[in-house]
């Protein structure tokens, strides 16, 4: 039996018929705001950083894949994927790989460590085997030097991926990045009008930008060099995946374990039972945790000053004095 609470008996009811809805007569309701990537405000400008934003431009654009078998990658590439131990594609890979395989221009935004590299490398490898390409691996400055002296003309370059665009700009390489893009011939750029593109058999350049954040400079590059892009934005911009942090903790713990230390780990990925024994029962002299308060030991200096400040800041909560130690390795120097 349904009992109606006394307070509910006097509650005003807002029920109405569809025909009573007058919003269609209100001019403000005619032009509803839609999320826009390119608003010039930086970061994921205008995009709500929900789990998955997927803005398809054409009806024939492919949908996200759910597993590797659906990816239409060649058997050789699928074997490589298996060899790399990638059991399931990550969300950015699910969304971007089918688009890349159709040579669509893509703006891919996903947090650091979310697998953006395979998201653009796998379609690029598939394209290269079809086009019988040669590979040049170069640093930005050297490449630009050669290009400007016409040692390496890139007239036939038909696939450009700008990865880690935000980091390169952050590190002061904006001049080199724009320089390389400027030197690459624009004659094979896709036309602005997609109908023209369909009517022509010409090989157009595919241009993709993959980045963890979308600062204004990257946004300007995207506006200038990509055509009718599909925008895929996943997760929170600028954030590192928790998995990476947990993996780092495990690696450090194993390394210390090889020495004379009794080590245990504590992080979001650790098993509950292991966690219990870490805190009770067994005795350890080192606890490696992803969040700590008394002494923060950082093993990777990282690019973002804000993240470093945040981590180190955990030592001085509630005005307590703490200690932060940062270990630098050779990989932190370049
Ligand atoms: N599908 C997958 N399954 C398991 N591991 C994966 C998968 N894709 C990538 N990885 C691994 O995740 C790690 C991070 O991947 P990747 O370097 O591509 O991230 P990213 O998004 O480019 O990060 P960043 O923005 O820092 O460059 C790598 O060790 C990579 O081998």
């Amino acid at each position: 039996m349904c009992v109606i609470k006394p307070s509910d008996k006097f509650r005003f009811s807002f029920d109405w018929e569809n025909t009573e809805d007058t919003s269609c007569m209100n001019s403000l309701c005619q032009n509803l705001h839609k999320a826009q990537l390119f608003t010039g405000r930086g970061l994921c400008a205008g995009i709500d950083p929900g789990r998955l934003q997927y803005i398809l431009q054409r009806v024939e654009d492919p949908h996200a894949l759910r597993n590797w078998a659906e990816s239409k990658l060649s058997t050789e590439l699928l074997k490589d994927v298996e060899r790399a131990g990638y059991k399931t594609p990550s969300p950015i890979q699910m969304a971007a790989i089918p688009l890349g395989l159709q040579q669509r221009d893509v703006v891919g935004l996903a947090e650091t460590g979310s697998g953006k590299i395979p998201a653009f490398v796998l379609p690029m490898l598939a394209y290269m085997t079809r086009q019988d390409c040669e590979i040049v691996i170069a640093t930005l400055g050297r490449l630009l030097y050669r290009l400007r002296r016409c040692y390496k003309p890139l007239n036939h370059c038909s696939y450009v991926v700008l990865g880690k665009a935000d980091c390169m700009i952050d590190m002061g390489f904006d001049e080199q990045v724009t320089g390389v893009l400027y030197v690459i011939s624009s004659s094979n750029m896709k036309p602005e009008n997609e109908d023209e593109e369909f009517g022509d058999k010409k090989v157009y350049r595919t241009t993709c930008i993959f980045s963890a954040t979308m600062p204004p400079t990257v946004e300007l590059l995207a506006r200038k060099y990509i055509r009718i892009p599909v925008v895929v934005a996943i997760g929170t911009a600028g954030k590192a995946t928790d998995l990476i942090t947990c993996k780092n903790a495990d690696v450090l713990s194993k390394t210390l374990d090889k020495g004379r230390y009794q080590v245990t780990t504590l992080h979001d990925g650790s098993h509950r039972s292991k966690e219990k024994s870490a805190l009770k029962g067994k005795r350890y002299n080192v606890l490696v945790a992803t969040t700590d308060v008394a002494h923060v030991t950082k093993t990777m200096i990282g690019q973002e000053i804000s993240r470093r400040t945040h981590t180190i800041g955990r030592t001085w909560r509630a005005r307590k004095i703490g200690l932060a130690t940062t270990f630098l390795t050779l990989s932190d120097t370049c």
Side-chain angles (χ1 to χ4, degrees), residues 220-263:
L220 282 176
L221 286 180
R223 275 171 182 271
K224 193 163 175 191
Y225 293 101
I226 57 177
R227 290 284 181 269
I228 326 162
V230 178
V231 179
V232 181
I234 290 166
T236 310
K239 182 175 172 281
T241 56
D242 295 340
L243 187 66
I244 292 271
T245 324
C246 297
K247 270 188 191 164
N248 287 339
D250 286 337
V251 170
L252 177 63
S253 151
K254 275 189 191 143
T255 314
L256 290 168
D257 211 27
K258 282 183 195 152
R260 59 196 162 84
Y261 302 103
Q262 297 293 312
V263 190

Side-chain angles (χ1 to χ4, degrees), residues 252-253 256 261-265 283-289:
L252 177 63
S253 151
L256 290 168
Y261 302 103
Q262 297 293 312
V263 190
T264 189
T265 53
R283 289 178 77 88
Y284 299 94
N285 47 21
V286 178
L287 169 69
V288 180

Side-chain angles (χ1 to χ4, degrees), residues 167-216:
C167 291
M168 285 192 282
I169 304 287
D170 220 31
M171 289 159 77
F173 288 115
D174 37 345
E175 205 183 303
Q176 285 87 340
V177 171
T178 43
V180 170
L181 288 171
Y182 181 76
V183 180
I184 294 172
S185 167
S186 59
S187 60
N188 60 353
M189 284 267 281
K190 290 177 185 168
E192 297 277 6
N193 182 343
E194 39 185 301
D195 295 335
E196 278 175 42
E197 189 185 341
F198 286 134
D200 199 336
K201 289 277 174 271
K202 192 175 163 181
V203 176
Y204 288 110
R205 189 173 92 203
T206 303
T207 315
C208 300
I209 291 188
F210 281 77
S211 192
T213 58
M214 191 72 163

Side-chain angles (χ1 to χ4, degrees), residues 68 81 84-90 92-93 110-120 164 166-167 211-212 239 241 243-244 247:
W68 290 115
V81 166
Y86 300 169
K87 291 198 171 59
T88 47
S90 70
I92 184 77
Q93 294 162 4
E111 55 204 35
T112 50
S114 57
K116 290 189 290 299
I117 294 175
F120 61 77
K164 278 196 180 289
D166 53 349
C167 291
S211 192
K239 182 175 172 281
T241 56
L243 187 66
I244 292 271
K247 270 188 191 164

Side-chain angles (χ1 to χ4, degrees), residues 74-102:
S74 65
T75 327
E76 286 78 24
L77 283 177
L78 284 176
K79 270 188 199 151
D80 289 338
V81 166
E82 200 183 331
R83 222 170 289 144
Y86 300 169
K87 291 198 171 59
T88 47
S90 70
I92 184 77
Q93 294 162 4
M94 288 177 176
I97 288 174
L99 295 160
L101 288 173
Q102 293 203 358

